[in-house]
Structure formats: C-alpha cells, structure tokens
Amino acid sequence: MMWGAVQAGADRPDVEAEQGWDAEHEAALFLDQHRLDHCPDNRAVILYAIRHPDSALGREVARRTDGGVRLTSEDVVALRPLLRAHEEAGAGQGAWQRDLGVQADRLEALTSDARQITSDFTSDMAALSRAHRDATDASGTKDVAALIEQLIARIARTEHDLAQLSGDIASLRDRIETAPRDADVDPLTGVMSPVGARRLIAELADQPHGYGLATCGLDDLDVIEARYGRSVADNVLRAFVATLRQACEGVDIIRWQDNLFVLLLRGRPLAHLALMMEEARAAMLARTLRLRGSGEPIGAVTLSAGVAVGMGVPMQETFDRAEAFRAIASAGQGNRVVSRA
C-alpha cells in the first residue's frame, strides 16, 4: 500500500518520539504524496482510512494504491460514500462525538482569541514605551497612567480567558479518555484488537494452503518507558506499527497485548512472512527516534520476532510455536527473527 511509506516516515528518518506519528500528520503527508488538495472532504476520507486501516474504506484505499499507484481526486470522490456509511452507522451513538465537536470548536475560538489578546498586548506595550519616552509634562504623564489602567484591565481579561481555555482543555481531555471506543480496533495503534480478529482467527484452521503467523515485540520497551515516560513509549509503539505496515503489506496485524503483536499472512507464499519480518527488523533498527524539543536520540529501537507456519491447525498451536521462536530471538540483545529452532 503506497501510504505505508507515509506512515513509516520513509522520507523523514528522524522521528520525534514525543510527538510520534499521529494520524493527522500521516494524513497530511499522504495528501501531499498523492498530490491531493488538503480540502476537508479529502482530509476526512484519508484520515479515517489511516485510523481504521481494516475498515471497508481503509481496505479500499489500500487496494487502489497497491503497487505504488497514486490516488486521484476521482478516487477520493468515489470513496466518500464509504465514509458516509460509517458516519450513518455511528449516528445512533454519536451524541458524545457531537459534544466533542462543539467543545473543539469552542477551543479553537478561544485559542484564536488568546492569540489576538497576546498580539494586542504586545502592541500596547510598545505604545506605552513610546508614550513614556515622549512624556515631558503632566499631561503626558496622565496619558501614560490611563494607558497603564487599560493594560491592567486587558491583563485581567486575558487571565480570565486563558483560565477558561485551560478548563475547556481539561474537560475535553476527560471526554476523550472516557469516550466509548470501537472494541475491534486498538485505540493506540489503530490495528486490530483480539476482539476484532476473532472471526479471522476462527477461520485459520480451514485455510486450504495454511497460514503464516509471526509474534513480535520491541526489545527494551520497558527501559524506554522507565527513562522517558509512557507517552514516549506509546509513540515509539506507533512508529513500530507504522514500520510493520510498511514492511508487511497484505498482512493482518493484531495488537495482542501491550508490546506483543501477532501478524497473519494468508493466500501468499508462507516464506514471505519471514522475509517481511526481516525487512521490518532492519527498518526499525535504521530509524532514528528523537525527543521533541531537545532533539535527544533515544537510541536504537529493535524488534524480535518468531515466525511459524500452521497447516490445518488452530491458531493457538501455531501461536505457541511462534512465541517459542520469539523467546529464542529476544534472548540476549534481541534484534533477531527466528523461524526455525
């Protein structure tokens, strides 16, 4: 899928770990790469497809861009009904989303107000400085005093508006954190959850030509979290998933739990999965993740994986073999892919 390079930051090897690869940024890169206008309609289609790659819309975008094909404006127009279908399906439970939309609009307005106040304050301070410099008599001093009173009043209004802005941000954060989520999708990375993959898992034993299964995770993610905090660790996980998507096109990715991911390959030569995981390992090692602000690199981030093949057997049996291989791969310093003992 052509957008894999966008999500993995192929054109930007230095990724700010604290900022991470958020969907908004990925959507903007995708639109630029495909030479699409950044209008709200185009952005909404691409943003949803990036956030929900396993949805009907996400799969259709993947199909249309398979092999490096550029998405056209006509393609986006044809894809909009899929987005509307999603929106209509969620209309019955969308009250909280509408509330968040109203709150977001209010925050945008307050932010604009705060910027204007700051700009006006700077201008007034410059005027005050000039008035003080030019004041040579009692009349001039009186004018300066009046201007100071105006500035005091403006500062009070600014404090009030900024306090309201802070409160609105806190309220919005609480709403987002407590909002209902789609149980089929992992909210952090956007890949399938075990719940969302249940039907896929149930059908694996019936695959006529078998299936490939890989389990993988980042080496030393706990060390990264302990040193830099949970938010940085989460963004490293997002960068990891973006790398998997780029290297493992056509593979179903499931966030099994925490730092453990399961990848399933069906309908293609099974040896391809081990090669894909090697490509993902090399790509992850080559990435340079830096902290925003200081620019400090967080060091090499590596993955370890185990790959197994299942022929007419349930997923659990193949999963256990893949996990045994992953244990071998992660021993020592990790950074390995093991597909046979």
Side-chain angles (χ1 to χ4, degrees), residues 22-45:
D22 59 68
E24 297 274 356
H25 185 69
E26 290 177 16
L29 288 178
F30 182 94
L31 292 171
D32 288 340
Q33 184 177 13
H34 290 256
R35 302 174 189 172
L36 293 168
D37 184 70
H38 284 243
C39 66
D41 287 341
N42 288 355
R43 185 172 166 278
V45 169

Side-chain angles (χ1 to χ4, degrees), residues 210-221:
Y211 60 94
L213 184 151
T215 61
C216 64
L218 291 174
D219 300 315
D220 299 325
L221 184 65

Side-chain angles (χ1 to χ4, degrees), residues 54-130:
D54 299 308
S55 66
L57 176 57
R59 290 194 298 270
E60 183 60 16
V61 171
R63 186 188 70 79
R64 290 177 183 245
T65 58
D66 188 34
V69 177
R70 184 168 66 87
L71 204 67
T72 66
S73 298
E74 290 76 15
D75 288 326
V76 178
V77 170
L79 291 168
R80 286 174 191 165
L82 291 176
L83 179 61
R84 286 197 297 271
H86 159 73
E87 292 172 341
E88 291 169 0
Q93 55 181 6
W96 65 273
Q97 293 168 318
R98 289 191 295 273
D99 289 344
L100 285 180
V102 172
Q103 192 79 330
D105 290 342
R106 176 62 179 149
L107 281 177
E108 184 177 357
L110 283 173
T111 302
S112 178
D113 290 346
R115 287 175 181 152
Q116 186 60 50
I117 289 168
T118 302
S119 176
D120 292 345
F121 180 78
T122 302
S123 298
D124 287 345
M125 285 299 294
L128 175 60
S129 177
R130 288 193 300 271

